[in-house]
Amino acid sequence: AGQCRSVTTPSTAVPPSGCDDLIGAVFELGRTLCRLQLSDEELALFTAAVLLSPDRPWLTESKKVQKLQDKIYVALQHEIQKKHSAEDKLSKMVSKLPLMKTICNLHLDKLEFFRLLHPETAMNFPPLYKEVFNSELQYSDPRES
């Protein structure tokens, strides 16, 4: 089963970066998910359900994605019941979705700010990173406009 360690982030461990709100939110999410004591299977299914979000504005087949996500949630509920976990475990997991969306939005804000401040560096982000976030951010040179 998945193991979580108690994680504390003393203010001296992370230098001030302008991303304190983002870093704090990520660690809070980690702590709350750790308290749920998810098995590897539960974590994998929950991750799949989160990634297969039908509410992304650029999706063209959102109904198909919704059906797939629903099937994953059914499999997740089955896995939770099979392990005789608490009845409300799935609802506790789903209750973390708003925090995840907040983290995503904070991350995009920080990326956009970084891109504007350091366009040369943003142009050199790794290809996978650009691919994942390119639907939200454009990596064009602001001096070209």
Side-chain angles (χ1 to χ4, degrees):
Q3 299 270 329
C4 288
R5 294 183 189 174
S6 177
V7 178
T8 57
T9 53
S11 57
T12 58
V14 181
S17 64
C19 295
D20 299 347
D21 52 347
L22 175 61
I23 292 168
V26 169
F27 275 94
E28 179 58 27
L29 175 64
R31 278 191 291 274
T32 58
L33 288 176
C34 189
R35 282 193 289 265
L36 291 175
Q37 299 180 334
L38 303 177
S39 69
D40 291 342
E41 296 82 3
E42 291 166 344
L43 183 58
L45 288 166
F46 185 56
T47 300
V50 169
L51 290 173
L52 290 169
S53 178
D55 65 351
R56 302 184 194 277
W58 44 265
L59 275 179
T60 56
E61 300 281 347
S62 60
K63 288 182 182 178
K64 288 182 180 179
V65 173
Q66 177 68 57
K67 285 181 182 179
L68 187 55
Q69 186 188 51
D70 290 345
K71 289 178 182 179
I72 291 171
Y73 275 124
V74 168
L76 178 55
Q77 183 64 48
H78 176 73
E79 186 65 29
I80 290 169
Q81 290 169 345
K82 185 173 90 176
K83 300 243 190 279
H84 306 288
S85 296
E87 290 290 319
D88 62 343
K89 192 172 195 177
L90 181 58
S91 62
K92 286 180 180 178
M93 293 166 75
V94 170
S95 75
K96 304 305 170 207
L97 294 176
L99 177 57
M100 291 177 168
K101 286 189 184 279
T102 298
I103 289 171
C104 183
N105 290 334
L106 279 171
H107 183 239
L108 290 172
D109 289 347
K110 302 299 179 188
L111 279 176
E112 179 62 16
F113 181 74
F114 185 84
R115 185 190 68 80
L116 293 172
L117 220 57
H118 306 284
E120 317 77 35
T121 304
M123 294 286 290
N124 293 316
F125 278 170
L128 179 60
Y129 200 82
K130 284 184 181 173
E131 183 179 334
V132 168
F133 295 105
N134 201 35
S135 64
E136 302 294 334
L137 298 172
Q138 298 303 314
Y139 289 93
S140 60
D141 189 339
R143 294 171 290 200
E144 291 177 357
S145 357

